[in-house]
Amino acid sequence: MTQPVRVAILFSARGSNMQRLAHHLAKPSVGGEFVLAITNRPAAGGIEFCKAQGVPCAVIDHEDYETRAGFEAEMQKALDKAQVDLICAAGFMRLLTADFVTRWHDRIINIHPSLLPAYKGLNTHARVLADGGKEHGCSVHYMRAEMDDGPIILQKRVPVHGKDTADTLSARVLKLEHIAYPEAIKQIALKSGF
Ligand code: GRF
């Protein structure tokens, strides 16, 4: 029998995507195991969830490090120790260096709240509304050195309504993110046979 793929999830705040992924990975048929959470924010809401689930959560505060490389070296240590195979960034609000992303080439994925390549970066919902966009959504993609770049694994679309605010649109997209990330893991599992 093949060993389950060892998954780490990176998050920075409430961690709702991390929690959805955790529930998904808890199913034995998925073939993946959530072995480590890492957050760069000591006050992140998701830490409580990890405690309650008994998932190790490394709190690595980027403000404790003078350089990105120093911060990432600490993450790498934790990832090595937990023998991680696949990293899922889920609301991880910290840019990763090209060195780090290249080391994890095709083994680090991310979810972004827009239909990439449109609306890379922050405040995607407000920007879509400001442009009068009719459609919005989310993308799960392999990470590359450029921010919010890399091969798309899957996308989900939602209509933009006339009365939408950034909050209502964000809530509609988040619901889809919660479906999209587990689906992306299923696709990767099928492709790589885990
Ligand atoms: C999500 O919309 C994610 O796509 C974006 O930040 C948000 C994080 O939400 N990068 P959560 O922490 O997973 O609840």
Side-chain angles (χ1 to χ4, degrees):
M1 220 183 105
T2 51
Q3 295 293 315
V5 167
R6 298 174 67 80
V7 179
I9 305 177
L10 315 184
F11 69 100
S12 295
R14 76 191 151 188
S16 69
N17 277 294
M18 180 267 293
Q19 295 179 35
R20 289 302 167 121
L21 278 181
H23 289 304
H24 177 66
L25 291 165
K27 298 176 199 155
S29 57
V30 171
E33 194 183 345
F34 181 18
V35 293
L36 176 69
I38 299 181
T39 183
N40 63 317
R41 291 276 181 202
I47 296 171
E48 280 310 309
F49 171 85
C50 295
K51 279 189 193 152
Q53 299 293 311
V55 176
C57 181
V59 180
I60 304 174
D61 185 348
H62 64 270
E63 290 184 5
D64 291 344
Y65 299 85
E66 270 174 26
T67 60
R68 279 184 197 272
F71 164 67
E72 290 173 356
E74 202 57 31
M75 288 212 302
Q76 185 65 48
K77 242 194 254 172
L79 293 161
D80 286 343
K81 198 168 161 217
Q83 297 181 295
V84 167
D85 301 308
L86 176 71
I87 303 176
C88 299
F92 186 66
M93 307 308 281
R94 195 80 198 139
L95 284 180
L96 294 166
T97 63
D99 270 358
F100 185 88
V101 175
T102 305
R103 191 172 319 128
W104 286 89
H105 187 86
D106 280 354
R107 295 190 302 139
I108 182 164
I109 65 176
N110 181 45
I111 188 156
H112 182 74
S114 80
L115 296 171
L116 290 173
Y119 301 102
K120 296 179 176 183
L122 297 173
N123 304 320
T124 59
H125 313 297
R127 285 158 59 207
V128 167
L129 289 175
D131 288 350
K134 298 281 173 254
E135 194 180 45
H136 187 31
C138 65
S139 310
V140 182
H141 64 99
Y142 287 101
M143 262 200 204
R144 292 295 184 257
E146 290 291 309
M147 181 189 68
D148 298 329
D149 199 25
I152 303 287
I153 301 166
L154 65 84
Q155 294 186 310
K156 295 227 173 259
R157 293 162 189 277
V158 288
V160 177
H161 301 322
K163 283 185 186 161
D164 266 328
T165 62
D167 285 347
T168 60
L169 190 52
S170 153
R172 192 173 313 121
V173 172
L174 188 67
K175 272 192 194 162
L176 277 189
E177 292 185 47
H178 292 163
I179 299 168
Y181 223 158
E183 265 186 39
I185 298 274
K186 276 187 211 159
Q187 277 195 26
I188 294 176
L190 279 177
K191 211 170 99 184
S192 61
F194 74 80

